[in-house]
Amino acid sequence: LQGRKVGCLVSDGCDGELIAKLQAAVTAAGAKFQIIAPTVGGVVTSAGELLAADHKIEGGPSVLFDAVVLAPSLEGAAALALSAEAVNFLRDAYGHLKVIGYLPTIGPMLVKAGIDANPDNDRGLISFETASIDAFIAQAAGGRIWEREAWVRLTP
């Protein structure tokens, strides 16, 4: 993961402890970790702490990152599913074959994005419900998920 960038999409009520662990692990692997939020002012975690944003969703699209994490709260994910920018963040990450770490809260976003995939049929989707942060780091270090290309592009 050395020299790469990981973007983390969050919402109010997100798990600040998980975000801190992700940031520490990504940084230890030699990559940059940046927070993307619905507002430029950041979000308030479930513990009531302000989590500063590096980018507002519109200014930090997933194309800027080598891998992404989607870690909104349950309520935040429902709201993000109604945001074209947030849905496009997910859709573009998936379409650009990036490794996507996520919490199960993003179900509404997956539906809205039209993505019918899960870790059982796409090794680039890493659920933090069943996989470790280390598993995400290892998969992201491998780069793009080329076998997904047939799902997202017309191939000759």
Side-chain angles (χ1 to χ4, degrees):
L1 208 55
Q2 181 74 35
R4 296 187 184 163
K5 284 175 58 175
V6 175
C8 182
L9 180 62
V10 297
S11 71
D12 281 332
C14 66
D15 182 346
E17 190 174 310
L18 172 65
I19 305 304
K21 288 178 183 176
L22 280 161
Q23 184 169 21
V26 168
T27 303
K32 292 187 180 201
F33 186 84
Q34 296 187 326
I35 301 292
I36 301 98
T39 64
V40 72
V43 297
V44 176
T45 69
S46 60
E49 298 173 347
L50 178 64
L51 180 60
D54 296 298
H55 303 277
K56 185 176 177 192
I57 297 171
E58 296 91 332
S62 61
V63 297
L64 298 178
F65 304 99
D66 297 293
V68 299
V69 172
L70 285 86
S73 65
L74 185 60
E75 297 81 15
L80 289 173
L82 301 175
S83 162
E85 293 86 4
V87 172
N88 286 338
F89 182 93
L90 170 57
R91 189 179 288 134
D92 287 344
Y94 189 79
H96 288 119
L97 316 177
K98 296 175 190 223
V99 173
I100 302 170
Y102 69 95
L103 292 173
T105 58
I106 69 159
M109 294 177 69
L110 288 167
V111 170
K112 190 74 171 216
I115 298 172
D116 184 22
N118 60 63
D120 292 334
N121 62 17
D122 186 327
R123 68 181 178 87
L125 295 175
I126 309 295
S127 171
F128 293 118
E129 182 179 50
T130 57
S132 68
I133 292 172
D134 289 340
F136 168 76
I137 298 284
Q139 192 65 53
R144 297 189 191 264
I145 307 302
W146 293 106
E147 60 267 24
R148 188 187 298 152
E149 191 165 29
W151 292 18
V152 298
R153 288 182 187 64
L154 294 174
T155 53

